[in-house]
Amino acid sequence: QVQLVESGGGSVQAGGSLRLSCAASGRTFRSYAIGWFRQAPGKERESVAAIHSSDITYYRDSVKGRFTISRDNAKNTVYLQMNGLKPEDTAVYYCAASTGWTIIPTEYIYWGQGTQVTVSS
Protein backbone atom coordinates (compact mmCIF):
# COMPACT_ATOMS: atom_id res chain seq x y z
CA GLN A 1 0.00 0.00 0.00
CA VAL A 2 1.31 3.44 -0.95
CA GLN A 3 -0.27 6.74 0.03
CA LEU A 4 0.59 9.83 -1.98
CA VAL A 5 0.18 13.47 -1.01
CA GLU A 6 0.80 16.29 -3.49
CA SER A 7 1.73 19.83 -2.54
CA GLY A 8 3.16 22.94 -4.13
CA GLY A 9 0.34 24.00 -6.40
CA GLY A 10 -0.79 27.59 -6.66
CA SER A 11 -1.43 30.53 -8.95
CA VAL A 12 1.31 32.11 -11.04
CA GLN A 13 1.61 34.35 -14.04
CA ALA A 14 2.73 33.03 -17.38
CA GLY A 15 6.46 32.47 -17.40
CA GLY A 16 6.56 31.71 -13.70
CA SER A 17 7.65 28.58 -11.89
CA LEU A 18 6.27 26.13 -9.39
CA ARG A 19 7.66 22.98 -7.82
CA LEU A 20 5.21 20.23 -7.05
CA SER A 21 6.03 17.58 -4.47
CA CYS A 22 4.61 14.10 -4.15
CA ALA A 23 5.30 12.62 -0.73
CA ALA A 24 4.79 8.90 -0.41
CA SER A 25 4.38 6.52 2.48
CA GLY A 26 5.58 2.95 2.35
CA ARG A 27 8.94 1.25 2.50
CA THR A 28 8.72 0.05 -1.10
CA PHE A 29 8.41 3.52 -2.59
CA ARG A 30 11.65 3.24 -4.51
CA SER A 31 10.38 0.22 -6.45
CA TYR A 32 7.50 2.14 -8.01
CA ALA A 33 7.39 4.27 -11.11
CA ILE A 34 5.87 7.64 -10.26
CA GLY A 35 3.92 9.66 -12.75
CA TRP A 36 2.55 13.17 -12.80
CA PHE A 37 -0.78 13.65 -14.56
CA ARG A 38 -3.04 16.63 -15.03
CA GLN A 39 -6.66 17.21 -15.76
CA ALA A 40 -8.16 20.46 -16.93
CA PRO A 41 -11.91 21.13 -16.74
CA GLY A 42 -13.75 19.28 -19.50
CA LYS A 43 -10.64 17.41 -20.61
CA GLU A 44 -9.32 13.92 -20.07
CA ARG A 45 -6.54 13.22 -17.64
CA GLU A 46 -3.20 13.27 -19.42
CA SER A 47 0.30 12.21 -18.56
CA VAL A 48 2.81 14.97 -17.92
CA ALA A 49 5.98 13.21 -16.78
CA ALA A 50 7.07 9.98 -15.19
CA ILE A 51 10.15 8.56 -13.52
CA HIS A 52 11.12 4.93 -13.23
CA SER A 53 12.79 3.38 -10.21
CA SER A 54 15.99 3.40 -12.31
CA ASP A 55 15.56 7.15 -12.94
CA ILE A 56 14.52 6.77 -16.56
CA THR A 57 12.21 9.67 -17.31
CA TYR A 58 9.39 10.50 -19.68
CA TYR A 59 7.92 13.89 -20.63
CA ARG A 60 5.01 14.77 -22.84
CA ASP A 61 6.16 16.87 -25.77
CA SER A 62 4.46 20.07 -24.63
CA VAL A 63 6.46 20.21 -21.39
CA LYS A 64 9.87 19.06 -22.61
CA GLY A 65 12.53 21.62 -21.76
CA ARG A 66 10.26 23.32 -19.22
CA PHE A 67 9.41 20.62 -16.66
CA THR A 68 11.82 18.36 -14.77
CA ILE A 69 10.84 15.30 -12.77
CA SER A 70 13.14 13.96 -10.07
CA ARG A 71 12.93 11.65 -7.10
CA ASP A 72 14.58 11.55 -3.69
CA ASN A 73 14.18 8.00 -2.43
CA ALA A 74 15.62 8.91 0.98
CA LYS A 75 12.72 11.34 1.43
CA ASN A 76 10.15 9.19 -0.37
CA THR A 77 9.38 12.19 -2.53
CA VAL A 78 9.08 12.91 -6.23
CA TYR A 79 9.28 16.46 -7.52
CA LEU A 80 8.02 18.18 -10.63
CA GLN A 81 9.84 21.43 -11.28
CA MET A 82 7.77 23.50 -13.68
CA ASN A 83 9.38 26.49 -15.35
CA GLY A 84 8.11 28.72 -18.11
CA LEU A 85 4.52 28.00 -17.18
CA LYS A 86 1.84 28.73 -19.74
CA PRO A 87 -1.92 29.25 -19.33
CA GLU A 88 -2.48 25.90 -21.03
CA ASP A 89 -0.67 24.23 -18.12
CA THR A 90 -3.60 25.14 -15.87
CA ALA A 91 -5.05 21.95 -14.39
CA VAL A 92 -5.29 19.81 -11.32
CA TYR A 93 -2.02 17.90 -11.07
CA TYR A 94 -1.94 14.39 -9.63
CA CYS A 95 0.89 12.06 -8.81
CA ALA A 96 0.44 8.33 -9.04
CA ALA A 97 2.42 5.13 -8.51
CA SER A 98 2.74 2.13 -10.77
CA THR A 99 4.52 -1.18 -10.41
CA GLY A 100 5.37 -1.09 -14.12
CA TRP A 101 6.82 1.45 -16.52
CA THR A 102 3.87 3.13 -18.20
CA ILE A 103 2.32 6.49 -18.94
CA ILE A 104 -1.25 5.18 -19.15
CA PRO A 105 -3.29 6.57 -16.26
CA THR A 106 -5.39 3.43 -15.81
CA GLU A 107 -2.24 1.41 -15.18
CA TYR A 108 -1.35 3.47 -12.11
CA ILE A 109 -2.72 1.92 -8.94
CA TYR A 110 -2.16 4.57 -6.27
CA TRP A 111 -3.18 8.21 -6.64
CA GLY A 112 -2.85 11.39 -4.66
CA GLN A 113 -5.68 13.84 -4.11
CA GLY A 114 -4.38 16.42 -6.59
CA THR A 115 -3.14 19.99 -6.38
CA GLN A 116 -4.41 22.92 -8.42
CA VAL A 117 -2.07 24.81 -10.73
CA THR A 118 -3.41 28.01 -12.27
CA VAL A 119 -1.40 30.04 -14.77
CA SER A 120 -2.71 33.44 -15.78
CA SER A 121 -1.73 35.31 -18.91
Side-chain angles (χ1 to χ4, degrees):
Q1 185 79 10
V2 175
Q3 292 184 325
L4 304 172
V5 179
E6 303 96 336
S7 61
S11 297
V12 297
Q13 291 190 328
S17 298
L18 286 172
R19 188 176 80 156
L20 305 183
S21 298
C22 174
S25 64
R27 291 177 293 175
T28 60
F29 168 77
R30 65 180 63 213
S31 67
Y32 288 88
I34 303 295
W36 283 98
F37 299 83
R38 65 188 181 189
Q39 189 165 19
K43 294 189 177 181
E44 292 189 355
R45 190 167 298 188
E46 63 183 21
S47 61
V48 177
I51 186 165
H52 191 263
S53 57
S54 64
D55 287 341
I56 296 171
T57 57
Y58 155 83
Y59 298 95
R60 72 180 299 109
D61 286 345
S62 62
V63 308
K64 285 180 180 177
R66 299 189 297 124
F67 291 11
T68 303
I69 189 170
S70 61
R71 66 191 301 161
D72 184 337
N73 288 329
K75 295 183 178 180
N76 276 12
T77 301
V78 171
Y79 304 99
L80 185 67
Q81 178 67 44
M82 305 187 295
N83 299 326
L85 283 161
K86 303 176 180 181
E88 51 263 41
D89 295 318
T90 296
V92 177
Y93 283 70
Y94 301 88
C95 66
S98 172
T99 56
W101 180 232
T102 177
I103 60 170
I104 301 173
T106 54
E107 296 184 3
Y108 281 73
I109 53 177
Y110 301 111
W111 288 83
Q113 81 290 350
T115 186
Q116 177 70 46
V117 171
T118 303
V119 185
S120 58
S121 58

